[in-house]
Amino acid sequence: MKAEPIIVEKTLNAPAHKVWEALTDKNKMKQWYFDLKEFSSEVGFEFTFYGGTEEKQYLHICKITEVIPGKKLTHSWRYDGYSGDSFVTFELFAEGDKTRLKLTHTGLETFPPEPDFARSNFNMGWNHIIGKSLPEYLEKV
């Protein structure tokens, strides 16, 4: 059974090119998202990072699967040592000097039934990242 994706939308007080830079520049990403060793918005580029709870950190393994420069970025999202593959898509819609960002995370149902992989955790995490961390970062730049 395919679960409903998590979708988070937010209108950001920044032009689309600034939001795109925040999504694709590893130095900017570490200020609001995750600290990635390397990142390139090219299809096929693989990247990893650690994230999780205070009790347990998980190695996230990701691969860029689709890029429409300035508009859309999709990457896979899985955990080292665990079954399951999901996909995260960031879509940008210019609205004058603002940008509507739509994040869609699909495939959560493919992860094992671990408490840390609960849908509610992803929902809370993405709402914090897209609803608070990213807008606060964009206000500073």
Side-chain angles (χ1 to χ4, degrees):
M1 183 174 124
K2 187 171 178 170
E4 289 294 312
I6 288 179
I7 298 173
V8 178
E9 291 191 63
K10 175 81 175 169
T11 298
L12 302 162
N13 195 19
H17 75 274
K18 289 252 188 223
V19 178
W20 183 256
E21 287 173 7
L23 293 174
T24 59
D25 180 315
K26 75 178 186 78
N27 295 318
K28 294 176 180 171
M29 291 166 81
K30 74 179 177 183
Q31 296 178 57
W32 68 273
Y33 192 43
F34 294 101
D35 189 2
L36 307 178
K37 237 180 229 176
E38 295 297 326
F39 186 83
S40 177
S41 57
E42 297 174 26
V43 171
F45 185 82
E46 295 184 25
F47 62 99
T48 61
F49 62 93
Y50 280 93
T53 64
E54 288 181 18
E55 296 80 29
K56 184 162 186 181
Q57 291 288 299
Y58 297 91
L59 177 62
H60 297 63
I61 301 172
C62 306
K63 184 176 187 177
I64 304 291
T65 60
E66 182 180 10
V67 177
I68 301 172
K71 295 182 186 280
K72 186 176 184 182
L73 177 74
T74 302
H75 65 76
S76 62
W77 171 299
R78 65 183 185 87
Y79 298 98
D80 188 40
Y82 295 88
S83 63
D85 285 293
S86 68
F87 292 88
V88 175
T89 299
F90 297 90
E91 294 176 277
L92 305 182
F93 303 92
E95 296 180 347
D97 59 351
K98 297 180 188 288
T99 305
R100 183 168 52 89
L101 170 64
K102 179 180 179 183
L103 174 130
T104 305
H105 195 160
T106 61
L108 298 176
E109 72 280 2
T110 68
F111 294 137
E114 300 268 334
D116 287 344
F117 302 155
R119 179 183 174 85
S120 59
N121 290 339
F122 286 98
N123 205 16
M124 185 175 62
W126 285 125
N127 275 288
H128 177 80
I129 288 167
I130 301 303
K132 184 169 174 26
S133 298
L134 180 57
E136 287 178 357
Y137 163 76
L138 289 168
E139 285 176 18
K140 290 188 270 181
V141 296

